[in-house]
Amino acid sequence: MQVNELKLRNFRNYQNADVHFSKGINVLMGQNAQGKTNLLEAIYVLALTKSHRATNNRDLIEWNDKKAAIWGEIQHKTGKTQLELTLSSKGKRARVNHIEQAKLSTYIGQLNVILFAPEDLKIVKGSPQVRRHFMDIEFGQMSSKYLYNTSQYRRILKQRNIYLRQLHLHKAKDLMYLDVLSDQLSAYAAEIIYQRVQLLGKLQKWSQSIHSEISQQQEVLKFNYVTSLRKKDLGSVEQIYQTLLAKFKANHEKEIRQGTTIFGPHRDDLRFMVNGKDVATFGSQGQQRTAALSTKLAEIDLMKEETNEYPVLLLDDVLSELDEGRQTHLLTAIQNKVQTFLTTTSMNGIATNLINNPKMFHIENGVIS
């Protein structure tokens, strides 16, 4: 999978840009605040319909305009696909091969991307919310079923939390309706948790090999999915569903007192264990970086395994954060395998001998040359 061409209209500081990319490594070079990350962000938004650094569409639209558009030609094994995303204050409109998509869930997955930025260290040592977001973004690209279940889960969770607050404030009394919401929520939650466990098992397999190589066979990386359910209750979707449903029934008074849903995938976490210890708490910064790098690189192979195509890799000023050894592993792993976009202010400190025939783009004030 690769991006052949990208067109931007009024996106961030790009009024009108049309650029063709190499199928290998594309280096986006320029000083800070010139538009390097904006270009990377445009590819990310084209893939996922949302930004990794903005929550409002307005932030993505050039200051004096009311809407922005991103168009891309995507090369798949089976042929070319035209993607178009229009952003405005009224929302988003997505088209695949000029056909408008009624739901964004049918659009996502046409272009798969993996973003690696310095803040991705937060995957290891950040809040549980960061890790849940990481799982949902990556697994949602690999599986339309996962994407659908998370969307429905959030919808029912919102309804259930509103009703729990109404029960708490004595504005509602019907516990049967709470049971209905609990049943619906448990069904979607069971699907999400089961898929997370399965995909994390595969991701661990790929990441262990990479991590072992980077650490020179001195360390073993494992993932620990942290949930309110016991490990023996995670064997099947039906088993998870029944266990969660029982938990909701046994704890509905507690949830009413608190006015919120206290069990489910929205409360779960992922821990990175190195040689049996939680690397976020007991690991050095170097071990945390290695765990994060191993996980991000493993995503490439997992996505290939799940979708039969390699994703596009976006590296936002990340090489300057890695020492020579980790740079070597990263650049060796992606060479001649995935289309890569790399932003940097300078090639100094980057192992350029490991980058074969990069296509160089200079970016200054939203102009690409």
Side-chain angles (χ1 to χ4, degrees):
M1 184 180 297
Q2 67 188 58
V3 181
N4 291 335
E5 183 181 2
L6 186 73
K7 294 180 182 179
L8 304 178
R9 300 293 181 268
N10 303 319
F11 182 87
R12 293 285 196 182
N13 66 331
Y14 291 97
Q15 289 186 334
N16 193 339
D18 187 348
V19 57
H20 292 76
F21 298 115
S22 161
K23 66 180 181 180
I25 294 181
N26 299 272
V27 178
L28 313 178
M29 189 159 61
Q31 297 304 307
N32 291 327
Q34 299 302 304
K36 304 186 302 298
T37 297
N38 291 348
L39 187 57
L40 214 65
E41 180 184 33
I43 299 171
Y44 187 92
V45 173
L46 183 66
L48 292 164
T49 75
K50 63 176 72 172
S51 168
H52 62 289
R53 58 187 187 134
T55 56
N56 193 324
N57 284 348
R58 177 65 256 178
D59 296 333
L60 304 177
I61 302 170
E62 208 271 334
W63 185 253
N64 295 319
D65 285 274
K66 295 182 179 180
K67 67 178 181 178
I70 311 170
W71 177 92
E73 180 184 86
I74 313 304
Q75 183 72 52
H76 297 279
K77 286 182 176 180
T78 55
K80 297 176 181 178
T81 301
Q82 314 281 338
L83 299 182
E84 184 179 350
L85 189 67
T86 304
L87 309 167
S88 70
S89 59
K90 296 180 180 179
K92 305 165 187 172
R93 296 177 64 184
R95 294 183 177 88
V96 178
N97 291 329
H98 310 293
I99 299 173
E100 187 160 351
Q101 305 299 294
K103 295 181 179 180
L104 293 179
S105 59
T106 63
Y107 171 91
I108 295 171
Q110 303 291 333
L111 168 62
N112 291 332
V113 298
I114 292 174
L115 172 71
F116 195 13
E119 59 266 25
D120 281 329
L121 271 177
K122 293 177 183 176
I123 292 173
V124 173
K125 63 180 183 180
S127 68
Q129 183 179 1
V130 171
R131 288 182 286 277
R132 288 191 293 267
H133 179 72
F134 157 72
M135 288 187 284
D136 289 346
I137 288 293
E138 307 311 336
F139 298 162
Q141 291 185 84
M142 298 177 199
S143 168
S144 58
K145 181 181 178 182
Y146 185 92
L147 188 67
Y148 173 79
N149 286 328
T150 52
S151 174
Q152 294 301 306
Y153 181 83
R154 292 189 191 104
R155 180 178 63 84
I156 301 297
L157 178 65
K158 184 178 180 180
Q159 293 177 4
R160 191 172 187 273
N161 283 340
I162 289 172
Y163 195 67
L164 283 169
R165 286 193 289 273
Q166 290 176 341
L167 290 168
H168 174 72
L169 297 171
H170 305 292
K171 293 182 178 180
K173 297 180 180 180
D174 187 1
L175 293 179
M176 187 176 294
Y177 181 56
L178 180 62
D179 289 340
V180 171
L181 292 174
S182 298
D183 182 80
Q184 293 176 343
L185 196 69
S186 296
Y188 290 119
E191 296 280 0
I192 293 167
I193 292 172
Y194 185 76
Q195 273 199 284
R196 280 183 181 176
V197 171
Q198 299 304 306
L199 289 170
L200 284 171
K202 295 179 180 181
L203 186 63
Q204 177 179 272
K205 178 193 71 174
W206 289 109
S207 62
Q208 279 183 336
S209 175
I210 297 167
H211 191 276
S212 177
E213 188 178 345
I214 297 176
S215 67
Q216 299 180 325
Q217 288 74 47
Q218 298 297 307
E219 297 175 349
V220 176
L221 174 65
K222 290 186 177 181
F223 298 154
N224 181 16
Y225 184 65
V226 183
T227 176
S228 60
L229 281 66
R230 296 169 300 181
K231 192 172 183 178
K232 67 177 186 177
D233 296 325
L234 301 175
S236 68
V237 172
E238 179 64 21
Q239 194 175 8
I240 297 170
Y241 162 72
Q242 294 294 346
T243 304
L244 274 174
L245 198 57
K247 271 186 170 291
F248 285 134
K249 289 181 178 179
N251 290 275
H252 75 267
E253 291 182 1
K254 183 178 180 181
E255 287 191 313
I256 290 171
R257 285 198 305 271
Q258 296 186 16
T260 191
T261 302
I262 60 177
F263 303 110
H266 68 291
R267 292 291 186 99
D268 292 350
D269 195 5
L270 171 63
R271 298 216 179 111
F272 297 84
M273 313 298 291
V274 172
N275 292 346
K277 295 181 179 180
D278 187 342
V279 73
T281 304
F282 301 104
S284 66
Q285 188 175 58
Q287 286 176 314
Q288 292 169 353
R289 288 177 185 272
T290 300
L293 176 59
S294 301
T295 303
K296 298 301 287 191
L297 289 177
E299 283 183 72
I300 296 172
D301 292 304
L302 177 60
M303 203 167 282
K304 170 66 163 60
E305 181 181 338
E306 293 296 308
T307 67
N308 202 32
E309 287 201 80
Y310 283 113
V312 172
L313 183 61
L314 310 176
L315 302 176
D316 190 11
D317 200 28
V318 76
L319 290 185
S320 61
E321 297 290 319
L322 301 175
D323 60 25
E324 184 178 349
R326 293 183 180 88
Q327 272 196 37
T328 298
H329 279 92
L330 171 58
L331 294 173
T332 302
I334 65 177
Q335 204 66 255
N336 303 319
K337 188 160 72 172
V338 292
Q339 184 186 36
T340 302
F341 294 86
L342 186 163
T343 69
T344 184
T345 56
S346 168
M347 296 301 285
N348 293 334
I350 294 176
T352 52
N353 59 305
L354 296 173
I355 302 178
N356 294 334
N357 302 316
K359 188 169 185 179
M360 306 292 293
F361 298 89
H362 182 73
I363 299 175
E364 184 174 0
N365 197 26
V367 177
I368 307 167
S369 58

